[in-house]
Amino acid sequence: ALLPVVDDITRTLPQQVGPLLEVLWGALLELDDLTSSTHNVMLLLSALMTVCGQQQQAQGDSKPAAAADAASAACAFDLSSLSTPMPELVLRCFPFLRHPSKAVRQSTLRTIQTLLALMSSNEQSPTLSGAVKSEPGGAAGSWMSGDKLSPLMCHLFQAMLLDGETEIHDEVEKTWIMTVSRAPAELVNRIALKHLPNWICLWLSATSVPLDSSLLLLTTAQQSSSSSLGSAQDSKQPLSVFIGGLLGTESPAEQDQQACVVRLRVAKLFAALASTLQECPVASTTSVFTALQGLLQSLLRSNSAVARWAASYMVASWASLRKPELDKSLQTDLLGLAGVSSAPVYDEVYSLFNNVQNECKRLVLALQAANVPLPDQPSMYTAESAAQLGSTALSVYCQQLSPATAQPIQRQGPSVLA
């Protein structure tokens, strides 16, 4: 009932905004996916936080000249006066990033964006060493420390990987860019290096099998206190989830299409991370910027078509943000990608592809054992060459053999065609 009048409340009843926000933030500690009021609470909280945040930023960016403008600016509620530090409030949002309702997930991301923007406006620009200015009293808190920034980056990555809605992808990308560009570069580098191997494994996972739940960061929806939220109660419960929010019951074509979209969006997250650290190089001997270049090189040299395609799109997304500073060897791999000698293999059909290769080789060995003269065989059989070998060519070869010898060999033909 309050959603339509959020603007009016913040303008005419600013003294009531603080208590209302305290109630809403406190309610998040008691809500979960099954609570009927979760949808309304999260939407109202997001709307209030967004309006107050916009008013507060507008008040800080300009000094009203007219008395009316000054009175209007005075109506803005100072979100830093909330009893809970803003980094702790960000943690309270995590359980709702995987809520069944798209509106709840979208509101959660927008609330996090508001908190990140306000934390940045309350701090000095982060230095390369990670030093930031802490606000006296800790009401708004300093920029998120590593124990809070790490789960935020993991949950944002997972929100992109596990969601199938374009609107959510847009909000996640916006929140990710705000996070990696405003947090201290050294801290972002250290956290990303820690989680990069898991992220890559999840990013390139096959669409037809559930993701490895041990690589996912999970949180419980209910927490008894804000202090318990500080640890986020991470768990490693068995979970059957698929890339792109799939259920595992879709057709292979639907699975591939959704996975393709999600992998493209995840590539943009890696590109934003690389672009940010390229602009603000870190002092560490090992950086995500360097690690990503090594990763790109290994993916481009792989026989996996998905790996090559994903790496190529990551570079394209990176180039759309700024000119990538790539090693010469990586540039060579990119330029020679179209002319690679080895045929790519699609991971989703690898099992079928491998069976075709084995059946073709088994048939060729049987023909050679029967002393049938064969032309040079390809190192890798395509669908067309395998079909020809198991049908037309096999009939010609078997004509050179006695019926007793040809019969068992001919029975291998359907295996090749299957």
Side-chain angles (χ1 to χ4, degrees):
L2 295 177
L3 272 175
V5 293
V6 165
D7 290 336
D8 297 328
I9 292 176
T10 57
R11 285 196 306 267
T12 61
L13 298 172
Q15 68 279 5
Q16 300 300 324
V17 174
L20 179 57
L21 283 173
E22 294 286 359
V23 171
L24 293 174
W25 279 113
L28 293 191
L29 299 172
E30 308 298 330
L31 299 177
D32 58 25
D33 292 353
L34 301 179
T35 307
S36 59
S37 60
T38 300
H39 181 273
N40 294 331
V41 169
M42 202 67 227
L43 264 61
L44 178 58
L45 175 61
S46 175
L48 276 173
M49 291 293 295
T50 300
V51 172
C52 291
Q54 291 173 348
Q55 291 178 350
Q56 187 170 332
Q57 288 182 316
Q59 182 179 354
D61 293 342
S62 60
K63 295 182 179 179
D69 292 335
S72 175
C75 293
F77 174 73
D78 185 4
L79 292 174
S80 64
S81 63
L82 291 170
S83 60
T84 305
M86 290 187 189
E88 296 292 334
L89 296 180
V90 172
L91 297 182
R92 292 192 190 184
C93 297
F94 292 165
F96 304 97
L97 289 172
R98 295 301 306 141
H99 193 274
S101 169
K102 181 177 75 172
V104 171
R105 301 197 301 274
Q106 197 168 29
S107 298
T108 301
L109 289 164
R110 289 174 178 173
T111 301
I112 294 176
Q113 291 169 17
T114 300
L115 291 169
L116 293 176
L118 290 171
M119 283 191 289
S120 296
S121 65
N122 290 334
E123 300 295 334
Q124 293 177 341
S125 299
T127 63
L128 296 184
S129 62
V132 292
K133 175 186 174 183
S134 298
E135 199 164 299
S142 61
W143 182 266
M144 299 182 73
S145 56
D147 61 332
K148 298 178 178 64
L149 183 61
S150 179
L152 173 60
M153 293 179 65
C154 286
H155 282 296
L156 289 177
F157 180 86
Q158 291 172 190
M160 183 70 85
L161 184 77
L162 302 178
D163 212 297
E165 299 290 344
T166 302
E167 295 86 349
I168 302 300
H169 291 164
D170 294 339
E171 295 295 340
V172 171
E173 184 178 349
K174 181 179 179 181
T175 310
W176 176 272
I177 292 175
M178 289 181 67
T179 302
V180 300
S181 62
R182 302 187 185 198
E186 288 282 0
L187 186 57
V188 171
N189 180 74
R190 185 167 66 249
I191 292 171
L193 276 177
K194 175 183 176 182
H195 297 292
L196 192 59
N198 289 351
W199 290 347
I200 297 301
C201 289
L202 291 169
W203 181 40
L204 299 178
S205 296
T207 59
S208 57
V209 296
L211 297 172
D212 186 352
S213 60
S214 66
L215 303 180
L216 299 174
L217 182 63
L218 309 176
T219 61
T220 54
Q222 289 186 335
Q223 302 291 345
S224 59
S225 64
S226 59
S227 60
S228 64
L229 267 166
S231 62
Q233 290 193 357
D234 300 332
S235 61
K236 298 293 183 180
Q237 302 171 356
L239 188 65
S240 185
V241 293
F242 294 80
I243 187 172
L246 297 171
L247 301 176
T249 58
E250 298 83 358
S251 66
E254 291 175 326
Q255 292 178 347
D256 291 343
Q257 182 179 14
Q258 185 61 33
C260 177
V261 172
V262 171
R263 287 193 179 108
L264 290 178
R265 301 307 296 259
V266 172
K268 289 188 174 183
L269 300 188
F270 289 129
L273 181 62
S275 176
T276 299
L277 294 179
Q278 178 181 336
E279 181 182 9
C280 301
V282 297
S284 304
T285 55
T286 305
S287 69
V288 172
F289 180 72
T290 304
L292 280 176
Q293 292 204 68
L295 167 69
L296 286 171
Q297 194 163 40
S298 63
L299 293 179
L300 291 172
R301 293 179 179 180
S302 168
N303 285 332
S304 168
V306 172
R308 290 183 187 176
W309 164 78
S312 301
Y313 193 81
M314 187 197 300
V315 175
S317 301
W318 187 354
S320 69
L321 299 174
R322 68 175 61 252
K323 183 179 180 180
E325 297 177 359
L326 304 178
D327 293 336
K328 289 185 177 181
S329 58
L330 181 55
Q331 295 180 31
T332 302
D333 288 336
L334 283 169
L335 293 174
L337 185 60
V340 289
S341 56
S342 57
V345 178
Y346 286 90
D347 299 351
E348 288 77 6
V349 296
Y350 178 77
S351 178
L352 177 60
F353 174 84
N354 196 42
N355 289 337
V356 169
Q357 304 304 310
N358 291 334
E359 292 297 335
C360 288
K361 291 177 181 178
R362 188 177 295 112
L363 180 57
V364 168
L365 290 175
L367 290 170
Q368 290 176 341
N371 297 319
V372 175
L374 300 176
D376 292 338
Q377 298 297 306
S379 59
M380 183 179 298
Y381 292 90
T382 64
E384 293 78 10
S385 61
Q388 183 179 5
L389 175 63
S391 57
T392 307
L394 181 60
S395 299
V396 173
Y397 296 147
C398 288
Q399 290 177 1
Q400 307 174 33
L401 303 174
S402 64
T405 305
Q407 188 174 5
I409 297 178
Q410 284 180 322
R411 284 201 292 263
Q412 298 186 35
S415 301
V416 173
L417 298 176

